[in-house]
Amino acid sequence: MPLPALPSDAVWIDRRDALDRWLADLPADARVGLDTEFMRRNTFHPQLALLQLGWDGRYALVDPLAFDIGDALKPRLHAGDSVTVMHSAGEDLETLAPFLPGGPRVLFDTQIAAAFVGMGLGISYRALVAELCHVELDKGETRSDWMQRPLTDSQRLYAALDVVYLESIHDQLASRLDQRGRANWHAEDCERLKHRAAAAEGDPQPQRGMRGAADWPRAKQALLRRLLRWRDRTARALDKPRPWLLEDALAMSLVQQPPSTQAELDQRSRGQRALRSTQRVELFDLLRDPVDDAEIAATAPVAHPLQGEAKKALGAMKDCVDALASELDLPSGLLCPRKVLEEYVSSGEWPDFLEGWRGELLGDPLPALLPG
């Protein structure tokens, strides 16, 4: 079957001056569709391979491998009253962070909006286009190599279509949000998404994800936290995947049984692709430095699986969230994921996730259900 023709105004941009001219035509209050194609195979940071832009029937495919985009996007997307329409924008915002720090001034995420208007949590762009625009999109280029040049006609079509329908989807979802009185909730979650994507540092308490360390002494948990935070900082600096520096299993083994010599560490860490001599020395020093009381106090304990009264409290909170979500016609996972409830029951500290509109709804019933 022959490929459909590219949208008539989909232009290929491989020079900064051409991008500046295309962006200069945007009105200050434009609704700009935006998407990216990126690769993340052997790096920590996603590599921008293509930038797609759409506005009022005009579409551009921008080649970031041909020139430095620099700050070209900031005057139009980070200033003024333009609305940047994206679908499931988290990774795209992270990819664009070097070129658009802080993200667009006004973000409209269509996946989040769809969840607020009763279309389910995590709906795909393809499903949204089918539902709202009555068009079936091909997904044949989902796993394409976007770093290759030249792109094929099929790749260019696939990429352009990722922004062609965003304006129509925006209009329909924005209307439904207004009808349900949830535009402010959606805007708050879009701001939250922007802040998360712009975070320069990783999880400050990464050890909490290592449930196998729940029974360890607090000093061991603090040392595990130290190693995992070092891994995150170093992986960012070297632009290498975290496991290339230190796999989870190795990190736990080194904390449980620290090496007595540099040579022992070198032997036990063989096969770590990004761990060079400089990093091995740093790692050995981190393992040998004593853990003090301040570091232990700063380390959130690794939670055990909930038992007894805590497990009952979690169940009661989940029932409360489910009932309220059903009443509001919201996905339970949008209102409050189970993981957030588990952390709340374990720590007793009100989660940041439940600030804002969620706190207005859950700020009274959930604390009353805490065990004890």
Side-chain angles (χ1 to χ4, degrees):
M1 178 180 295
L3 291 171
L6 277 169
S8 58
D9 287 327
V11 296
W12 182 260
I13 294 178
D14 56 9
R15 300 192 319 275
R16 170 64 185 263
D17 61 334
L19 177 59
D20 287 337
R21 286 196 302 271
W22 196 93
L23 292 169
D25 289 337
L26 297 177
D29 59 351
R31 287 165 298 165
V32 184
L34 188 153
D35 191 39
T36 72
E37 305 297 343
F38 60 89
M39 304 296 286
R40 200 175 200 163
R41 289 179 178 166
N42 302 322
T43 62
F44 181 95
H45 302 285
Q47 298 173 285
L48 180 63
L50 190 69
L51 172 66
Q52 303 103 284
L53 297 167
W55 164 70
D56 195 27
R58 309 176 192 182
Y59 309 104
L61 302 178
V62 182
D63 182 7
L65 306 185
F67 70 103
D68 183 5
I69 292 176
D71 61 354
L73 301 176
K74 291 179 64 176
R76 289 297 179 182
L77 303 186
H78 195 64
D81 297 320
S82 64
V83 176
T84 301
V85 186
M86 305 175 71
H87 182 82
S88 187
E91 288 188 301
D92 296 301
L93 292 175
E94 183 184 352
T95 302
L96 289 171
F99 315 101
L100 194 63
R105 195 183 77 82
V106 181
L107 170 67
F108 187 101
D109 188 301
T110 56
Q111 187 178 72
I112 297 174
F116 274 117
V117 301
M119 299 183 72
L121 190 65
I123 188 171
S124 70
Y125 176 72
R126 185 170 181 264
L128 204 51
V129 170
E131 176 72 20
L132 298 181
C133 304
H134 312 294
V135 175
E136 292 291 336
L137 295 179
D138 180 64
K139 56 181 180 180
E141 297 293 345
T142 303
R143 299 187 180 278
S144 235
D145 180 0
W146 294 101
M147 302 297 284
Q148 73 173 18
R149 291 297 183 272
L151 296 180
T152 66
D153 289 343
S154 177
Q155 284 178 304
R156 293 176 65 167
L157 173 62
Y158 176 94
L161 290 175
D162 276 349
V163 293
V164 164
Y165 300 101
L166 285 176
E167 187 171 0
S168 175
I169 291 172
H170 166 271
D171 291 348
Q172 295 181 63
L173 293 180
S175 176
R176 296 188 191 188
L177 285 170
D178 287 338
Q179 290 170 7
R180 294 187 175 215
R182 292 176 182 171
N184 289 338
W185 291 4
H186 173 259
E188 184 181 309
D189 274 21
C190 287
E191 284 298 307
R192 185 194 300 265
L193 184 62
K194 284 165 51 178
H195 290 311
R196 186 163 65 243
E201 297 182 1
D203 183 357
Q205 301 287 347
Q207 76 288 346
R208 291 181 301 182
M210 302 292 195
R211 292 299 180 91
D215 291 322
W216 289 9
R218 292 297 308 280
K220 289 286 188 181
Q221 293 186 10
L223 182 57
L224 179 61
R225 175 179 182 242
R226 180 196 292 176
L227 257 62
L228 295 177
R229 295 185 75 191
W230 169 85
R231 179 180 70 171
D232 189 81
R233 291 192 306 271
T234 307
R236 289 173 186 271
L238 297 177
D239 196 20
K240 298 296 182 184
R242 292 183 187 91
W244 285 25
L245 276 167
L246 195 62
E247 293 178 349
D248 288 351
L250 178 58
M252 296 186 71
S253 171
L254 293 175
V255 171
Q256 285 180 302
Q257 296 180 316
S260 57
T261 65
Q262 182 73 57
E264 181 187 346
L265 172 63
D266 294 348
Q267 176 63 29
R268 290 171 63 182
S269 61
R270 289 179 63 186
Q272 298 291 130
R273 286 186 278 181
L275 199 62
R276 301 291 182 258
S277 58
T278 299
Q279 289 79 45
R280 291 177 193 275
V281 171
E282 291 178 4
L283 182 55
F284 183 70
D285 289 342
L286 286 173
L287 288 163
R288 299 293 292 177
D289 283 347
V291 175
D292 59 25
D293 291 342
E295 192 170 5
I296 294 173
T299 301
V302 180
H304 289 86
L306 299 179
Q307 301 290 335
E309 292 302 313
K311 189 174 182 179
K312 291 180 182 179
L314 174 64
M317 288 186 185
K318 188 69 170 63
D319 290 343
C320 174
V321 169
D322 289 347
L324 182 56
S326 178
E327 179 184 333
L328 295 171
D329 190 24
L330 290 175
S332 293
L334 177 67
L335 179 57
C336 184
R338 181 186 178 91
K339 180 180 178 181
V340 173
L341 294 177
E342 289 177 346
E343 291 177 357
Y344 180 40
V345 173
S346 295
S347 69
E349 298 179 3
W350 189 250
D352 290 341
F353 184 85
L354 294 181
E355 296 295 342
W357 67 270
R358 292 177 176 86
E360 295 173 5
L361 296 171
L362 297 170
D364 288 331
L366 290 190
L369 297 172
L370 278 176

